[in-house]
Structures are given as structure tokens and as C-alpha cells.
Amino acid sequence: MSSTLKAVRGTRDLLPPETALWNRIEATARAVFARYNFGEIRTPIFEDTGLFARGVGEETDIVSKEMYTWEDGERFDKDLLISKWNLANHERFGAAIGEFVHKTASTPDVMQYEGNDGNWELVVFGARPSAELLNILGSAVSADRALISKSGSAKQVTGRLVVPSPTPGALIETTNDGILIEPFFGNFNRSSQSLTLRPENTAGVVRAYIEHKLGETGQLQKLYYIGSQFRRERPQKGRYRQFSQIGAEVIGPPSAGSESPLRDAEVLEMLATLLDELGITGWTLEINSVGSSADRARYNEILRAALAPVASQMCGDCQRRAVTNPLRVLDCKVPEDQPIIDALPKIVDSLDEESKKHFAAVLAALDAAGVPYTRNHRLVRGLDYYTRTTFEFTHGGLGAQNALLGGGRYDGLSEAIGGPKAPGIGFAMGEDRLVLTLLAIESAQPEKMDAYIAPLGDAKDEAALTRINAAALALARELRRSGLSVELGDGSFRLKKSFETADKVARRIVILGEDELQSGILTVKDFASGTQTKVPRTELASFLSKTSC
Ligand code: AMP
């Protein structure tokens, strides 16, 4: 027996009724984003690996060990072959080269060239001389020959299939149908590209910002995304290898106000509103400033010096980080290391005046808007282009993986991936963790349908059964089209089974038997109250919607 295939470790299926909760979260997020003038961006699920190496940082755990990366192998580059062949042959054809003919969606391009002698040559370019290409070319040549002989012209039509040849000087062959197969020397393979499933979405958004020159609009770009991200982490509750993030970025040229502390505060205030509207109570906003990259470089050295005498008492990771990337020591969760880390110098004392002012302005705006926060001196992002404000929203109900979302300013990111100066601030929220938090607060109860239609048939009388089932579908259609949610039973069910099924999924049952069909009066039973009512079919939709709760 073959083994049963299962969802890959770290991935999972989302099923109803939980998916209803996912939809509600996404709908709430979209509605909140719209009120703050954010528009949706959808970037590809995979990108060039270099984007993440530069946009997230080679030093990070994400890039150094958690990415799903593969080599997208060498591929035949037809355009390159065409342009090289055109160049080698342009004298034969004068200026008018490469007019496309016989082009359909399902066949490769057959190109028509007119020689200096007025004759036509139909050329197809391919990776190898396949029968398929020869057939396509053969039919195109025959069609053209027929056309020419009809017009009485003396033009000649030949067919030529051009394929790459790894060695120079290979001879042109002629097929039985008179088609030339020309091996054309050269390497026409596009070199392989390293691709990666996106581990996060900010790099992709900034890449798109640069690629589409969004900065040239002079406007602030407020973009949000909802989508899957992929990291090869050790799976546990709240940590998956495919997970979904809801995130947003505010990015633009400095002239659009992208550096203003007001932007930071507005994003944080929006997040507080979003979590409140999602029904997430008891969140904590932790905030810090990591200053400019110069501040961070200075702090890094201060930390390195402070760690030197104590690192040997710390965990293995910290001992390594104390040398390679001292800032990352602040992320350590090992309980024994905590007193040592708490006693280390704080980054706030290394900030320059501008960064101090920026941070004070963010906090003042949060105070004015009434958004509560706590300062967390250890909230430091270990990358050079993260600047100034960093933050996390945590929730006690999540256990070890307690971060609901994280974010911060990245004033240097666009430049780090080759773009213009485009300061920005953004966040990414773990949707899986939002769902877990909400499930801890409320259970995902499927919403009950307005009605369950129970056709009453006779399983032995096939014609009658077909008739009553068909009538039930017609009734369900009427009710559904009037906006009611309706589940449809089956005429072969016994009445008891219909009642049991209906009670699980709907608030009421509507009985439809031969009598009801004849009389046009239906029996409706409400499960909560136990009342049974006779309702004329013409009034059924309004009866069911009036008493909808
Ligand atoms: P990060 O991009 O690492 O700042 O993560 C932002 C948010 O995404 C976190 O606060 C989590 O809520 C969520 N998240 C990150 N990694 C995972 C994961 N492996 N599984 C589920 N959620 C995750």
C-alpha cells in the first residue's frame, strides 16, 4: 500500500469554521487600512535571492539559515538567438528584417524575412530541431507557397529552422521536405538565477517601489499587503514554515514627509485601532529608538566593550554574538543571561540629538492620541538600515511566541537595495498568531444558517424523490437569492435525520413534502424557541428574514 501523503511539516490546512475568522481578520484589516488611505500591494511570492540578502541582511537568522532558496536552472534564451542570428544575416535581408507572420497563441513565432533578391525565407528559432517545430514551419511554408502561386508571382519561399550549436562550423542540413536546419554557433542559455520564497514582504515592497519609480510621484506611498511568507524555522505552536503576514509600509521621498515622527505615531495609532477593532484585548506596545546608523555603530562598539569581560558567563549564542554582532545579544531569551543583559549600557544613551528629538516627538504624539506604550531598551533590530523607531506588539496569551507584530523605521533600506533615498516605516503582523489570540478569547463557532430546507420524499419512489428534490432546490434558490443563508437537505433522508442535521447547522427547518408543494403552505420550526409555524410560500422569505437574529 502506498503511504499517505500529508501536509509538509510546518505547513497546515486551514479549514472552516476557522477560515471564517481569517476572513474576518482580513476584512477588518482592509477596512482599517482604507480609512488611513493605504492601498493594497501584491508582490510575487518569490524574488531574486539577492533582494533578501541585501534587503533583510545576510547576518540575520532569516537569511543565513531559514530561506527556501533554489537555483532556477539554465534556460534557452530564444530572444538572444534571434538577435544574434539577425545580426549575422542582416546583409542578406537589408533593413526589413523580422516581420512576424503566421503568429498564433499556440505556435511559436514563424518569422518572415524578405531577401534582397525578393524571395521569402520563413524562419523558426528553437532550442533543438524538434518534429513539432519542423511541422509548424513546413505548414507555414506550404501556405505561403500556395498563396504566392495563386498570385502568379515568381517569388521563392524557403523554410529555415535555426538552432543553437555548441561548436562552430556545423553544417546546414536539409530535410526531405526541403527545410534547412541551421546549427548556429553560440551559447544562448540564460544563466541560472538563485530564487527564494519570500521570508518577509518589506524587501519586496521596497523593490517594487524602486522598480515602478513610485518615489517620482513625490507622494507618500501607503501600501499594505496580506500574504504567505516562508521560513525554515523549527515548527511549534504559533511558528510555522508557511505563515501569513498582514503588513503595511509608509515610504516616500523625504520631501513627502516620510521622515516625520508623525508617520511613526500614525502607524502605531492605526495598529492600536486595528487590534482594538479585531477584539484583541490586553496587547502591549513596546517601543524603542535605535537612532541613526552612526548611533548604532557607536553603540555596537560600546556594547562590544561592555560584553568583553562578561561574555564568558553567557550562553554559547551570546558568546558568539558578543564578537560578531553585539546588538543581537539583546535578543537572547536564556533566563540566566538576563541579569547580565539588563545591566548593559542602553542604546538611548548613544542617540544623537536629532534621533532623540525624533523619538520624543513620536512619544508625544502617542501620548496625545492616548495610545499606551512601554519603553523597551532591548528592542533593537540587528541591521544597519533600520533606524530610529522600533516596536513590537505582544500579547500574554501567546506563550513563548508572544510577538503579534513587529516593525520599525528603515530609512536606509531603499538605498541598500539600489534605490533612491526613501525613508519608510512599516510593520508585519503574524496573522496565524492573531487567529490563535482570538481563538483564546472567543471560540470559532460556525455561524448558523437562516434555514435548512428538508425535502420529504420516498426513497423507494424515484420519480417522486426527484420531483421533491428539484422543488427543494427551486425553493432554496428563491430564499438564497433574497439574501438568506440556506442549507439544503435531501429527500431520501428520514424526517429524524433531517431534524438532527438541521439542528446542527441552521436556526430553523423548513419542511417541504408533497402536501406542502400542493398547498403552498410550509411548516417552519424554530429550534431555539421550539415553535412551529405554517407560512405561505410567498411570505416565507420575509418571514425568515424578519425573525433572523
Ligand atoms: P518579523 O518579520 O520576524 O518581524 O515577524 C513579524 C511577525 O510575523 C511576528 O511578530 C510574528 O507574529 C509573525 N511571524 C514571524 N515568523 C513567524 C512564523 N514562523 N510563524 C508564524 N508567525 C510568524
Side-chain angles (χ1 to χ4, degrees), residues 10 12 231 236-243 432 436:
R12 64 218 175 103
R231 294 181 196 172
Q236 62 181 85
K237 193 172 180 201
R239 191 158 75 190
Y240 310 99
R241 292 181 162 184
Q242 174 176 349
F243 58 100
D432 306 70
L436 284 175

Side-chain angles (χ1 to χ4, degrees), residues 395-427:
H395 194 274
L398 281 170
Q401 304 300 320
N402 71 349
L404 274 178
L405 68 95
R409 232 178 212 289
Y410 45 80
D411 291 350
L413 179 53
S414 169
E415 287 141 298
I417 56 177
K421 188 168 166 60
I425 177 156
F427 65 85

Side-chain angles (χ1 to χ4, degrees), residues 49-63:
T49 305
L51 174 68
F52 302 116
R54 287 155 70 191
V56 179
E58 307 212 61
E59 295 272 299
T60 56
D61 283 354
I62 295 182
V63 173

Side-chain angles (χ1 to χ4, degrees), residues 122-200:
L122 301 187
V123 188
V124 166
F125 296 88
R128 64 195 67 85
S130 69
E132 191 197 350
L133 291 180
L134 285 168
N135 279 339
I136 289 163
L137 186 55
S139 349
V141 169
S142 312
D144 272 11
R145 281 186 183 151
L147 211 73
I148 282 169
S149 79
K150 226 196 234 160
S151 71
S153 154
K155 263 188 219 300
Q156 302 282 312
V157 184
T158 45
R160 183 187 292 262
L161 174 61
V162 180
V163 293
S165 162
T167 48
L171 295 177
I172 294 181
E173 286 174 47
T174 312
T175 68
N176 293 341
D177 304 332
I179 289 182
L180 307 175
I181 302 179
E182 178 185 345
F184 187 71
F185 172 61
N187 177 6
F188 303 103
N189 284 340
R190 212 173 312 163
S191 65
S192 71
Q193 189 179 11
S194 176
L195 302 178
T196 293
L197 287 182
R198 62 185 185 198
E200 58 92 63

Side-chain angles (χ1 to χ4, degrees), residues 312-383:
S312 60
Q313 303 155 39
M314 304 179 82
C315 70
D317 276 346
C318 282
Q319 293 191 18
R320 190 170 42 80
R321 290 166 177 167
V323 183
T324 57
N325 191 356
L327 278 176
R328 294 284 317 279
V329 168
L330 303 180
D331 293 337
C332 172
K333 300 258 166 21
V334 175
E336 294 75 27
D337 290 355
Q338 301 311 306
I340 302 178
I341 298 171
D342 285 337
L344 291 169
K346 297 182 171 47
I347 194 164
V348 63
D349 299 319
S350 295
L351 300 189
D352 65 13
E353 276 315 303
E354 283 303 303
S355 293
K356 273 190 192 144
K357 265 198 280 182
H358 193 277
F359 192 38
V362 174
L363 299 184
L366 289 178
D367 289 337
V371 177
Y373 57 84
T374 51
R375 303 266 302 265
N376 178 349
H377 295 287
R378 287 174 52 177
L379 206 59
V380 174
R381 301 220 147 202
L383 301 172

Side-chain angles (χ1 to χ4, degrees), residues 452 454 490 492-504 509:
Y452 178 98
D490 193 281
S492 65
F493 293 174
R494 287 166 189 276
L495 193 58
K496 185 163 175 279
K497 176 169 173 178
S498 287
F499 264 87
E500 282 168 2
T501 316
D503 196 11
K504 285 195 193 108
I509 186 167

Side-chain angles (χ1 to χ4, degrees), residues 206 209-210 213 215-216 251 411-416 418-423:
V206 178
Y209 172 92
I210 298 166
K213 301 188 168 54
E216 290 178 12
I251 179 168
D411 291 350
L413 179 53
S414 169
E415 287 141 298
K421 188 168 166 60

